PDB file of all heavy atoms in Angstrom:
ATOM      1  N   ILE A  41      61.328 126.453 107.287  1.00  0.00           N
ATOM      2  CA  ILE A  41      62.279 127.231 108.097  1.00  0.00           C
ATOM      3  C   ILE A  41      61.783 128.672 108.192  1.00  0.00           C
ATOM      4  O   ILE A  41      61.448 129.283 107.187  1.00  0.00           O
ATOM      5  CB  ILE A  41      63.690 127.139 107.480  1.00  0.00           C
ATOM      6  CG1 ILE A  41      64.247 125.740 107.736  1.00  0.00           C
ATOM      7  CG2 ILE A  41      64.604 128.204 108.029  1.00  0.00           C
ATOM      8  CD1 ILE A  41      65.613 125.504 107.172  1.00  0.00           C
ATOM      9  N   ARG A  46      62.709 131.845 115.565  1.00  0.00           N
ATOM     10  CA  ARG A  46      63.508 130.723 116.064  1.00  0.00           C
ATOM     11  C   ARG A  46      63.517 130.688 117.595  1.00  0.00           C
ATOM     12  O   ARG A  46      63.348 131.708 118.257  1.00  0.00           O
ATOM     13  CB  ARG A  46      64.942 130.807 115.534  1.00  0.00           C
ATOM     14  CG  ARG A  46      65.773 131.944 116.086  1.00  0.00           C
ATOM     15  CD  ARG A  46      67.032 132.139 115.279  1.00  0.00           C
ATOM     16  NE  ARG A  46      67.955 131.038 115.409  1.00  0.00           N
ATOM     17  CZ  ARG A  46      69.061 131.086 116.153  1.00  0.00           C
ATOM     18  NH1 ARG A  46      69.360 132.158 116.840  1.00  0.00           N
ATOM     19  NH2 ARG A  46      69.862 130.053 116.210  1.00  0.00           N
ATOM     20  N   PHE A  61      66.041 126.764 113.748  1.00  0.00           N
ATOM     21  CA  PHE A  61      65.716 127.241 112.413  1.00  0.00           C
ATOM     22  C   PHE A  61      64.294 127.810 112.357  1.00  0.00           C
ATOM     23  O   PHE A  61      63.798 128.110 111.291  1.00  0.00           O
ATOM     24  CB  PHE A  61      65.834 126.106 111.383  1.00  0.00           C
ATOM     25  CG  PHE A  61      67.229 125.618 111.157  1.00  0.00           C
ATOM     26  CD1 PHE A  61      67.467 124.442 110.461  1.00  0.00           C
ATOM     27  CD2 PHE A  61      68.316 126.349 111.616  1.00  0.00           C
ATOM     28  CE1 PHE A  61      68.763 123.997 110.245  1.00  0.00           C
ATOM     29  CE2 PHE A  61      69.612 125.915 111.403  1.00  0.00           C
ATOM     30  CZ  PHE A  61      69.837 124.737 110.730  1.00  0.00           C
ATOM     31  N   ARG A  63      61.639 126.091 112.976  1.00  0.00           N
ATOM     32  CA  ARG A  63      60.687 125.061 112.585  1.00  0.00           C
ATOM     33  C   ARG A  63      59.820 124.683 113.783  1.00  0.00           C
ATOM     34  O   ARG A  63      60.270 124.758 114.924  1.00  0.00           O
ATOM     35  CB  ARG A  63      61.415 123.827 112.049  1.00  0.00           C
ATOM     36  CG  ARG A  63      62.088 124.068 110.727  1.00  0.00           C
ATOM     37  CD  ARG A  63      62.901 122.878 110.290  1.00  0.00           C
ATOM     38  NE  ARG A  63      64.009 122.603 111.212  1.00  0.00           N
ATOM     39  CZ  ARG A  63      65.058 121.847 110.887  1.00  0.00           C
ATOM     40  NH1 ARG A  63      65.125 121.290 109.719  1.00  0.00           N
ATOM     41  NH2 ARG A  63      66.028 121.654 111.763  1.00  0.00           N
ATOM     42  N   GLN A 220      67.717 111.622 106.463  1.00  0.00           N
ATOM     43  CA  GLN A 220      68.513 112.824 106.140  1.00  0.00           C
ATOM     44  C   GLN A 220      67.653 114.079 106.114  1.00  0.00           C
ATOM     45  O   GLN A 220      66.460 114.000 105.803  1.00  0.00           O
ATOM     46  CB  GLN A 220      69.187 112.612 104.782  1.00  0.00           C
ATOM     47  CG  GLN A 220      70.274 111.545 104.798  1.00  0.00           C
ATOM     48  CD  GLN A 220      71.384 111.874 105.780  1.00  0.00           C
ATOM     49  OE1 GLN A 220      71.979 112.932 105.713  1.00  0.00           O
ATOM     50  NE2 GLN A 220      71.643 110.972 106.723  1.00  0.00           N
ATOM     51  N   GLU A 232      70.707 117.697 117.266  1.00  0.00           N
ATOM     52  CA  GLU A 232      70.766 119.139 117.026  1.00  0.00           C
ATOM     53  C   GLU A 232      70.449 119.934 118.276  1.00  0.00           C
ATOM     54  O   GLU A 232      70.857 121.096 118.399  1.00  0.00           O
ATOM     55  CB  GLU A 232      69.804 119.514 115.888  1.00  0.00           C
ATOM     56  CG  GLU A 232      70.340 119.098 114.526  1.00  0.00           C
ATOM     57  CD  GLU A 232      69.303 119.195 113.429  1.00  0.00           C
ATOM     58  OE1 GLU A 232      68.169 119.629 113.705  1.00  0.00           O
ATOM     59  OE2 GLU A 232      69.633 118.830 112.287  1.00  0.00           O
ATOM     60  N   GLN A 234      71.492 119.279 121.240  1.00  0.00           N
ATOM     61  CA  GLN A 234      72.566 119.188 122.239  1.00  0.00           C
ATOM     62  C   GLN A 234      73.233 120.505 122.570  1.00  0.00           C
ATOM     63  O   GLN A 234      73.388 120.863 123.728  1.00  0.00           O
ATOM     64  CB  GLN A 234      73.649 118.256 121.715  1.00  0.00           C
ATOM     65  CG  GLN A 234      73.325 116.827 121.851  1.00  0.00           C
ATOM     66  CD  GLN A 234      74.512 116.009 121.441  1.00  0.00           C
ATOM     67  OE1 GLN A 234      75.086 115.297 122.239  1.00  0.00           O
ATOM     68  NE2 GLN A 234      74.921 116.138 120.211  1.00  0.00           N
ATOM     69  N   THR A 235      73.693 121.218 121.515  1.00  0.00           N
ATOM     70  CA  THR A 235      74.438 122.442 121.777  1.00  0.00           C
ATOM     71  C   THR A 235      73.525 123.539 122.317  1.00  0.00           C
ATOM     72  O   THR A 235      73.994 124.585 122.721  1.00  0.00           O
ATOM     73  CB  THR A 235      75.143 122.940 120.502  1.00  0.00           C
ATOM     74  OG1 THR A 235      74.194 123.017 119.460  1.00  0.00           O
ATOM     75  CG2 THR A 235      76.256 121.995 120.098  1.00  0.00           C
ATOM     76  N   PHE A 236      72.207 123.286 122.291  1.00  0.00           N
ATOM     77  CA  PHE A 236      71.268 124.277 122.814  1.00  0.00           C
ATOM     78  C   PHE A 236      70.767 123.894 124.215  1.00  0.00           C
ATOM     79  O   PHE A 236      69.780 124.431 124.674  1.00  0.00           O
ATOM     80  CB  PHE A 236      70.080 124.430 121.853  1.00  0.00           C
ATOM     81  CG  PHE A 236      70.438 125.119 120.574  1.00  0.00           C
ATOM     82  CD1 PHE A 236      70.892 124.386 119.492  1.00  0.00           C
ATOM     83  CD2 PHE A 236      70.367 126.490 120.460  1.00  0.00           C
ATOM     84  CE1 PHE A 236      71.244 125.023 118.310  1.00  0.00           C
ATOM     85  CE2 PHE A 236      70.717 127.132 119.286  1.00  0.00           C
ATOM     86  CZ  PHE A 236      71.154 126.397 118.203  1.00  0.00           C
ATOM     87  N   ARG A 238      71.661 124.530 127.114  1.00  0.00           N
ATOM     88  CA  ARG A 238      71.519 125.640 128.062  1.00  0.00           C
ATOM     89  C   ARG A 238      70.463 126.626 127.585  1.00  0.00           C
ATOM     90  O   ARG A 238      69.626 127.083 128.350  1.00  0.00           O
ATOM     91  CB  ARG A 238      72.849 126.388 128.210  1.00  0.00           C
ATOM     92  CG  ARG A 238      73.877 125.665 129.025  1.00  0.00           C
ATOM     93  CD  ARG A 238      73.545 125.758 130.511  1.00  0.00           C
ATOM     94  NE  ARG A 238      74.608 125.166 131.296  1.00  0.00           N
ATOM     95  CZ  ARG A 238      75.672 125.839 131.717  1.00  0.00           C
ATOM     96  NH1 ARG A 238      75.788 127.129 131.448  1.00  0.00           N
ATOM     97  NH2 ARG A 238      76.609 125.247 132.412  1.00  0.00           N
TER      98      ARG A 238
ATOM     99  N   GLN B 223      78.997 119.761 119.823  1.00  0.00           N
ATOM    100  CA  GLN B 223      78.661 119.402 121.197  1.00  0.00           C
ATOM    101  C   GLN B 223      79.882 118.834 121.920  1.00  0.00           C
ATOM    102  O   GLN B 223      80.128 119.112 123.086  1.00  0.00           O
ATOM    103  CB  GLN B 223      77.509 118.388 121.205  1.00  0.00           C
ATOM    104  CG  GLN B 223      77.208 117.766 122.551  1.00  0.00           C
ATOM    105  CD  GLN B 223      76.899 118.815 123.609  1.00  0.00           C
ATOM    106  OE1 GLN B 223      76.390 119.879 123.311  1.00  0.00           O
ATOM    107  NE2 GLN B 223      77.239 118.510 124.853  1.00  0.00           N
ATOM    108  N   GLU B 244      75.980 129.113 119.177  1.00  0.00           N
ATOM    109  CA  GLU B 244      74.813 129.206 120.055  1.00  0.00           C
ATOM    110  C   GLU B 244      75.177 129.026 121.523  1.00  0.00           C
ATOM    111  O   GLU B 244      74.415 129.381 122.407  1.00  0.00           O
ATOM    112  CB  GLU B 244      73.755 128.191 119.644  1.00  0.00           C
ATOM    113  CG  GLU B 244      74.164 126.724 119.757  1.00  0.00           C
ATOM    114  CD  GLU B 244      74.915 126.247 118.517  1.00  0.00           C
ATOM    115  OE1 GLU B 244      75.355 127.099 117.719  1.00  0.00           O
ATOM    116  OE2 GLU B 244      75.067 125.024 118.372  1.00  0.00           O
ATOM    117  N   GLN B 248      76.478 130.955 126.886  1.00  0.00           N
ATOM    118  CA  GLN B 248      76.724 130.104 128.042  1.00  0.00           C
ATOM    119  C   GLN B 248      78.156 130.275 128.566  1.00  0.00           C
ATOM    120  O   GLN B 248      78.380 130.364 129.769  1.00  0.00           O
ATOM    121  CB  GLN B 248      76.453 128.657 127.608  1.00  0.00           C
ATOM    122  CG  GLN B 248      76.995 127.601 128.516  1.00  0.00           C
ATOM    123  CD  GLN B 248      76.852 126.211 127.878  1.00  0.00           C
ATOM    124  OE1 GLN B 248      76.158 126.023 126.881  1.00  0.00           O
ATOM    125  NE2 GLN B 248      77.505 125.233 128.468  1.00  0.00           N
ATOM    126  N   ALA B 294      69.109 135.471 107.325  1.00  0.00           N
ATOM    127  CA  ALA B 294      68.491 134.297 107.939  1.00  0.00           C
ATOM    128  C   ALA B 294      69.535 133.206 108.166  1.00  0.00           C
ATOM    129  O   ALA B 294      69.520 132.515 109.184  1.00  0.00           O
ATOM    130  CB  ALA B 294      67.373 133.774 107.050  1.00  0.00           C
ATOM    131  N   GLU B 297      71.730 134.205 111.099  1.00  0.00           N
ATOM    132  CA  GLU B 297      70.981 134.072 112.343  1.00  0.00           C
ATOM    133  C   GLU B 297      70.772 132.587 112.693  1.00  0.00           C
ATOM    134  O   GLU B 297      71.047 132.154 113.796  1.00  0.00           O
ATOM    135  CB  GLU B 297      69.629 134.787 112.179  1.00  0.00           C
ATOM    136  CG  GLU B 297      68.846 134.979 113.439  1.00  0.00           C
ATOM    137  CD  GLU B 297      69.603 135.794 114.485  1.00  0.00           C
ATOM    138  OE1 GLU B 297      70.292 136.779 114.131  1.00  0.00           O
ATOM    139  OE2 GLU B 297      69.508 135.424 115.660  1.00  0.00           O
ATOM    140  N   GLY B 298      70.309 131.824 111.711  1.00  0.00           N
ATOM    141  CA  GLY B 298      69.931 130.436 111.965  1.00  0.00           C
ATOM    142  C   GLY B 298      71.107 129.503 112.144  1.00  0.00           C
ATOM    143  O   GLY B 298      71.082 128.615 112.994  1.00  0.00           O
ATOM    144  N   ARG B 359      74.653 123.245 108.874  1.00  0.00           N
ATOM    145  CA  ARG B 359      73.434 123.969 109.251  1.00  0.00           C
ATOM    146  C   ARG B 359      73.041 124.945 108.169  1.00  0.00           C
ATOM    147  O   ARG B 359      71.872 125.053 107.795  1.00  0.00           O
ATOM    148  CB  ARG B 359      73.668 124.739 110.541  1.00  0.00           C
ATOM    149  CG  ARG B 359      73.765 123.840 111.721  1.00  0.00           C
ATOM    150  CD  ARG B 359      73.890 124.694 112.949  1.00  0.00           C
ATOM    151  NE  ARG B 359      74.266 123.887 114.076  1.00  0.00           N
ATOM    152  CZ  ARG B 359      74.796 124.359 115.177  1.00  0.00           C
ATOM    153  NH1 ARG B 359      75.045 125.652 115.268  1.00  0.00           N
ATOM    154  NH2 ARG B 359      75.106 123.568 116.158  1.00  0.00           N
ATOM    155  N   GLU B 362      71.160 123.354 105.373  1.00  0.00           N
ATOM    156  CA  GLU B 362      69.735 123.069 105.544  1.00  0.00           C
ATOM    157  C   GLU B 362      68.899 124.300 105.250  1.00  0.00           C
ATOM    158  O   GLU B 362      67.823 124.213 104.652  1.00  0.00           O
ATOM    159  CB  GLU B 362      69.464 122.601 106.979  1.00  0.00           C
ATOM    160  CG  GLU B 362      69.667 121.119 107.167  1.00  0.00           C
ATOM    161  CD  GLU B 362      69.025 120.637 108.455  1.00  0.00           C
ATOM    162  OE1 GLU B 362      67.786 120.679 108.536  1.00  0.00           O
ATOM    163  OE2 GLU B 362      69.760 120.241 109.375  1.00  0.00           O
ATOM    164  N   ALA B 366      66.228 124.956 102.156  1.00  0.00           N
ATOM    165  CA  ALA B 366      64.855 125.398 102.379  1.00  0.00           C
ATOM    166  C   ALA B 366      64.555 126.664 101.579  1.00  0.00           C
ATOM    167  O   ALA B 366      63.476 126.797 100.982  1.00  0.00           O
ATOM    168  CB  ALA B 366      64.624 125.644 103.866  1.00  0.00           C
ATOM    169  N   PRO B 379      75.809 115.069 103.106  1.00  0.00           N
ATOM    170  CA  PRO B 379      76.905 115.364 104.016  1.00  0.00           C
ATOM    171  C   PRO B 379      78.128 114.520 103.647  1.00  0.00           C
ATOM    172  O   PRO B 379      77.987 113.340 103.348  1.00  0.00           O
ATOM    173  CB  PRO B 379      76.359 114.970 105.386  1.00  0.00           C
ATOM    174  CG  PRO B 379      75.133 114.182 105.146  1.00  0.00           C
ATOM    175  CD  PRO B 379      74.737 114.300 103.716  1.00  0.00           C
TER     176      PRO B 379
END
Side-chain angles (χ1 to χ4, degrees):
Chain A
I41 287 179
R46 69 194 292 256
F61 292 168
R63 291 175 297 198
Q220 291 301 304
E232 286 168 2
Q234 281 186 116
T235 52
F236 289 89
R238 285 284 185 88
Chain B
Q223 171 57 30
E244 63 275 15
Q248 164 188 347
E297 191 59 39
R359 289 184 192 161
E362 274 196 67

